[in-house]
Amino acid sequence: MIKTFDNFPLKEKNSFRMDVSCARYIEYDKADDLKEIDFNTLPQPVLCIGGGSNLLFTADFPGTVLHSKIKFVKYVDVGLDEIPIAVGAGVTFDELVKETCGHGLWGLENLSLIPGDVGGAAVQNIGAYGVEIKDVVSGVVCYDIQEKKKVTFKKDECAYAYRSSRFKEAPDKGRYIITSVLFRLSRKARPQCGYQGLCDALGGIEPTSPQQIREEVIKMRQAKLPDPAVIGSAGSFFKNPVLTMDQFLHVAGVAEKEHGEHFPVPHYDAGLGMLKVPAAWLIEQCGLKGKRIGQAAVYEKQALVIVNDSGSASPEDILNAMEVVTNSVREKFSVSLTPEVEIIQ
Ligand SMILES: Cc1cc2nc3c(=O)[nH]c(=O)nc-3n(C[C@H](O)[C@H](O)[C@H](O)COP(=O)(O)OP(=O)(O)OC[C@H]3O[C@@H](n4cnc5c(N)ncnc54)[C@H](O)[C@@H]3O)c2cc1C
């Protein structure tokens, strides 16, 4: 069934709680509903949203917001070690994780408590604690707005990369509406405990159920990330920058000048001689952790998160906080931060 609303308020539909509206809002609960929509006659542009947990609306949206309420979880061939599962794009992602962990299926547990819906998660290639959703996705089913037909992409055709996929980038962005996602989860134990913080939290003991990992991940996330039901944010605001060796040595030099020799700069190998440095560390080194910037702030427990903790921040407040952070990091380290959050103009 399709439901259509005009001049629809979006405050409850985006986790930053931006008090904006859209010209038209459409909800649908079946993939076939999309065939009935004449996309050419809708207020433009058209934007799909799931939980709105990775978006920053900067003003009232002049076009159409489409929201999937396709909610099903279908287990296939349940006799196998690897269990194929088809899941509607409108299923809340963490409800899926809770359910599959409850069935003892391995694969999604490290991604516990990430806000948003299954469709949005597959667009974003969400990741946490050493796992990305692409590790367990086998395919993505879409409605192609241009060709007006269903199309299924195998995982290898989704162009998955760090917090990215073909659904997020030109030329395909906006062309494909994800209607369901296909996963392959495992009945056999496949704990992913390589991430140091998780390994420490588990006390070095090999977990025997995905539920054990889920519980630890939830504890860790609750200790350092804002609860979207209480504090507005879109999670990590910036991507972790990938630096050349020269850029990295410059960062290390700045840190050494300030803190003396052997002050460690956290980093990870990003391949091809490049190094990934946590954006949170760079922001913290600029003294911005917990800093209030107008009605917004850099979250006191995790510097990568910009929060609407006052509840009354406007898009300008969030953009201003973003600018303060990016300018400070650029001035101090000559590193450009890019937003992970999608900024809707
Ligand atoms: C407190 C907090 C913690 C977070 N922690 C993490 C984390 O640990 N790891 C992580 O990766 N992310 C994290 N995030 C970010 C966010 O939760 C994820 O990016 C999430 O997957 C976004 O899903 P969504 O349904 O809210 O998508 P939205 O924000 O609504 O949309 C995201 C993108 O997907 C597109 N889209 C959404 N649905 C569809 C569809 N059906 N078809 C086509 N395109 C679609 C949108 O147009 C947009 O481009 C966090 C966010 C918050 C608020």
Side-chain angles (χ1 to χ4, degrees), residues 64-99:
T64 304
V65 169
L66 275 181
H67 176 64
S68 167
K69 293 198 98 177
I70 304 175
K71 289 182 185 279
F72 67 85
V73 182
K74 192 170 156 200
Y75 296 80
V76 193
D77 292 337
V78 285
L80 302 171
D81 274 344
E82 282 221 328
I83 311 291
I85 305 179
V87 186
V91 171
T92 302
F93 183 73
D94 194 54
E95 279 173 15
L96 174 69
V97 183
K98 185 177 174 192
E99 177 174 324

Side-chain angles (χ1 to χ4, degrees), residues 13 15-16 28 47-55 66-68 89-90 93 111-129 142 163 167-168 173-174 176-179 221 225-228 231-236 305 340 342 344:
K13 305 290 180 189
S15 62
F16 250 132
Y28 55 96
L47 173 73
C48 287
I49 66 165
S53 62
N54 198 60
L55 305 174
L66 275 181
H67 176 64
S68 167
F93 183 73
L111 303 176
S112 291
L113 217 61
I114 297 181
D117 294 347
V118 165
V123 170
Q124 295 292 121
N125 185 24
I126 55 168
Y129 302 102
C142 300
R163 301 295 170 274
F167 313 108
K168 228 189 144 176
K173 182 170 169 48
Y176 299 108
I177 300 177
I178 297 179
T179 53
R221 292 184 69 94
L225 289 169
D227 176 352
I231 300 177
S233 85
S236 304
V305 181
E340 180 176 319
E342 188 173 334
I344 311 290

